[in-house]
Amino acid sequence: MQQFANADGLQFTASSPDSAARLTEFGSAYMGFRRDTGAILKSLRESDPDMPMAQCATGYLAKLFGSSNQSTKAKAISDGLPDLLARTGANDRERAHAAALAAWCDHDLEAATDLWEGIVLDHPQDSLALRLAHFTHFYSGDPRRMRDSMARILPLWSPEHRDYGFLLGMYAFGLEESGEYAKAEDYGRRAVERNSADAWSIHSVAHVLEMTERMEEGIQWVSGLEESWSGVNNFRFHLYWHRCLYHLERGEFETVLKLYDEQIVSDIDSNFYLDICNASSLLWRLEMFGIDVGNRWSRLLDVSRKHVEDTDLIFVSLHYLMALIAGGDAQAADRMITNIQQWSTLPGTQARVCAESGLALARGLKLARAGHHREALEIMGPVRYRLDRIGGSRAQRDVFHMILLDVTKASRDALRARGLFAERLGHKAHSSWSWKGYGDILETLGQDDQAREARARAAALLARN
Ligand SMILES: [Fe+2]
């Protein structure tokens, strides 16, 4: 084992310079959601099994699946790393990566994130550390850290670097989640101009269009680039999900169901966490729009049952739970809620989030589905300003805010519901669902003229107008 530098000057402990180049290629593939990401790493592991970063990256990739069985695999790799590091004479950066993987396996996301941020301060070109910090800031519901993490590094990269566009797109996403929409859109579009297959950057702009309620433009943006992004891994289904959100507000439910069936759940058995997040969130939303989704929930049961014991990301677990509850597997749903309750008593970053809000959301989902609206409201209401910490994007978390409004409306607490819908319209003035719900509540309260006006606003936002 020797030290070999890659094209960016990063040192790798490896058996050949080619290994350093291929590990770098793996980082680029990962940022681009390329389908060959896993294969690159696998071949590197076969040709250079003792390369510390090949092992670390394998552990990282397993953790990125966000589920128990993959986490067990990551832990086994992590446990073998101290010996490997000593045996190969690994450098300090590689040792920090190994420590970050160990912290992640130990459920300490903050420690892992701090280690990656530390690596990047010393080695700004370490795009793997940069991207992983981006991911964990995201799944810690920490948009300002996500934004600033990229802002610190951007000036240190050459715009000529082939991966520079990925950084622009990551910065764009941090900006978007921090509410800086105009700037986010500018950075996101610049990234896509450089590389039209950069799915994460396309996605950053899709988020801006969602949050600024430019539904038609959103459909055009995502559809117009489909040829470019449809070649990426399962992340492509998340872009279809974004397209569905625009269609939903325009009342184009047939299109949503078609995209759901043909794309969003087309690879649900691959067990990739984002697929279930897309599926459960969309079905629950469709139902809140008054659409009968038929037996679609039942197709999500098999995969969801495999994740009852997960203790990785509460945001993801809640989506498996939604499928179990709505799909009618009460036993598995109850076991999962008990598991989340136990999880909330353990040490670790996500365990704390479970205690703060995740457990209340889990219980609230069950109550909401059972028609115990008032009880659901009582348990979900108090955590609404804390639920950002469950992670995921604003657009993704919005389903939980919608459920809160839905149960408040159904609980016949009309004054509270009127307040919540008015509040939502304060930042979603072009939401047909919100205007319709507001109209229903106003009618309940006998405010007939205002109710008619609200419903007219809702109707005017539908696509047929
Ligand atoms: Fe998204």
Side-chain angles (χ1 to χ4, degrees):
M1 284 278 160
Q2 293 176 44
Q3 297 292 310
F4 296 103
N6 72 357
D8 298 320
L10 277 183
Q11 296 285 333
F12 290 89
T13 307
S15 59
S16 79
D18 180 55
S19 296
R22 279 197 288 155
L23 197 285
T24 308
E25 183 63 17
F26 160 77
S28 301
Y30 166 48
M31 288 193 287
F33 294 102
R34 277 165 39 192
R35 294 190 200 206
D36 60 352
T37 307
I40 294 171
L41 192 54
K42 187 163 178 268
S43 81
L44 176 55
R45 232 174 21 243
E46 284 165 1
S47 64
D48 203 346
D50 282 347
M51 181 187 185
M53 280 313 296
Q55 292 299 326
C56 261
T58 304
Y60 285 154
L61 210 54
K63 285 300 289 177
L64 286 165
F65 267 85
S67 65
S68 280
N69 58 341
Q70 292 291 327
S71 286
T72 306
K73 189 177 153 194
K75 176 89 173 91
I77 292 167
S78 178
D79 288 348
L81 276 172
D83 177 54
L84 183 71
L85 297 174
R87 205 152 38 83
T88 56
N91 63 44
D92 288 347
R93 196 186 87 261
E94 292 162 337
R95 287 171 188 276
H97 269 291
L101 177 62
W104 196 358
C105 289
D106 200 26
H107 303 281
D108 192 345
L109 282 180
E110 283 129 326
T113 310
D114 285 349
L115 281 156
W116 290 319
E117 290 288 9
I119 290 171
V120 173
L121 282 182
D122 283 342
H123 307 280
Q125 306 297 328
D126 191 326
S127 54
L128 186 57
L130 197 60
R131 180 62 164 206
L132 289 164
H134 188 64
F135 178 85
T136 48
H137 287 316
F138 179 37
Y139 274 100
S140 298
D142 219 336
R144 290 176 301 166
R145 281 200 170 86
M146 189 161 54
R147 176 196 62 192
D148 297 345
S149 169
M150 298 313 306
R152 281 195 290 275
I153 296 308
L154 261 181
L156 304 174
W157 275 56
S158 163
E160 308 304 318
H161 194 290
R162 68 172 187 153
D163 289 342
Y164 183 73
F166 292 134
L167 270 68
L168 295 177
M170 287 191 267
Y171 186 41
F173 190 60
L175 287 164
E176 180 279 325
E177 288 295 298
S178 303
E180 297 181 54
Y181 300 127
K183 197 168 167 185
E185 185 170 352
D186 177 47
Y187 275 90
R189 286 184 186 272
R190 277 166 54 193
V192 178
E193 274 166 26
R194 292 176 64 105
N195 173 11
S196 65
D198 177 355
W200 189 246
S201 299
I202 293 169
H203 171 255
S204 300
V205 175
H207 268 270
V208 171
L209 299 173
E210 171 67 25
M211 299 312 289
T212 52
E213 302 186 281
R214 289 144 67 188
M215 309 305 174
E216 200 174 345
E217 226 183 304
I219 293 165
Q220 284 165 4
W221 171 254
V222 174
S223 305
L225 290 161
E226 185 171 338
E227 211 173 307
S228 305
W229 56 256
S230 57
V232 305
N233 65 21
N234 280 29
F235 183 74
R236 68 191 185 277
F237 301 125
H238 185 62
L239 285 166
Y240 285 113
W241 178 83
H242 272 281
R243 196 180 135 189
C244 286
L245 294 193
Y246 310 126
H247 286 298
L248 269 180
E249 284 290 4
R250 288 161 55 85
E252 295 167 321
F253 304 120
E254 288 302 318
T255 308
V256 174
L257 288 169
K258 190 170 154 52
L259 287 171
Y260 178 90
D261 292 334
E262 292 178 2
Q263 300 293 344
I264 288 170
V265 288
S266 62
D267 194 28
I268 197 77
D269 296 325
S270 70
N271 216 3
F272 178 54
Y273 73 91
L274 190 53
D275 290 339
I276 193 77
C277 295
N278 297 329
S280 287
S281 177
L282 196 55
L283 288 188
W284 205 297
R285 283 173 205 243
L286 275 160
E287 290 182 337
M288 288 191 286
F289 273 84
I291 303 305
D292 180 353
V293 301
N295 63 358
R296 287 180 175 84
W297 282 112
S298 59
R299 187 168 174 202
L300 306 181
L301 283 175
D302 278 350
V303 69
S304 301
R305 287 187 189 112
K306 293 177 187 157
H307 296 273
V308 166
E309 311 289 334
D310 282 9
T311 52
D312 273 79
L313 296 169
I314 181 61
F315 176 83
V316 176
S317 287
L318 287 169
H319 287 82
Y320 285 118
L321 180 63
M322 287 161 91
L324 293 174
I325 291 169
D329 190 340
Q331 274 192 338
D334 285 345
R335 277 209 323 277
M336 190 156 193
I337 293 172
T338 302
N339 182 55
I340 293 172
Q341 191 276 325
Q342 286 165 355
W343 183 6
S344 74
T345 65
L346 299 173
T349 311
Q350 287 282 304
R352 278 199 302 283
V353 179
C354 287
E356 285 167 13
S357 59
L359 179 59
L361 292 175
R363 288 175 169 156
L365 288 171
K366 183 187 169 187
L367 289 165
R369 195 74 190 184
H372 301 306
H373 302 118
R374 189 165 288 275
E375 291 88 341
L377 170 60
E378 278 166 15
I379 200 162
M380 292 173 84
V383 303
R384 60 187 288 243
Y385 283 108
R386 290 203 296 272
L387 75 81
D388 283 7
R389 296 285 293 159
I390 65 171
S393 67
R394 286 170 181 240
Q396 285 175 310
R397 287 191 303 269
D398 193 40
V399 73
F400 299 108
H401 292 289
M402 289 173 73
I403 292 169
L404 178 67
L405 266 68
D406 199 46
V407 296
T408 308
K409 190 176 151 201
S411 73
R412 303 193 181 284
D413 186 343
L415 293 178
R416 204 158 160 191
R418 183 177 64 183
L420 283 175
F421 274 95
E423 190 188 305
R424 183 176 179 83
L425 286 165
H427 62 270
K428 286 194 177 291
H430 303 284
S431 161
S432 62
W433 184 82
S434 308
W435 279 112
K436 184 181 177 305
Y438 191 49
D440 294 345
I441 295 294
L442 292 172
E443 188 183 40
T444 308
L445 287 165
Q447 295 176 252
D448 292 345
D449 289 348
Q450 289 103 320
R452 259 194 304 280
E453 199 182 313
R455 285 188 180 136
R457 293 285 296 266
L461 289 162
L462 301 178
R464 62 177 174 268
N465 291 290

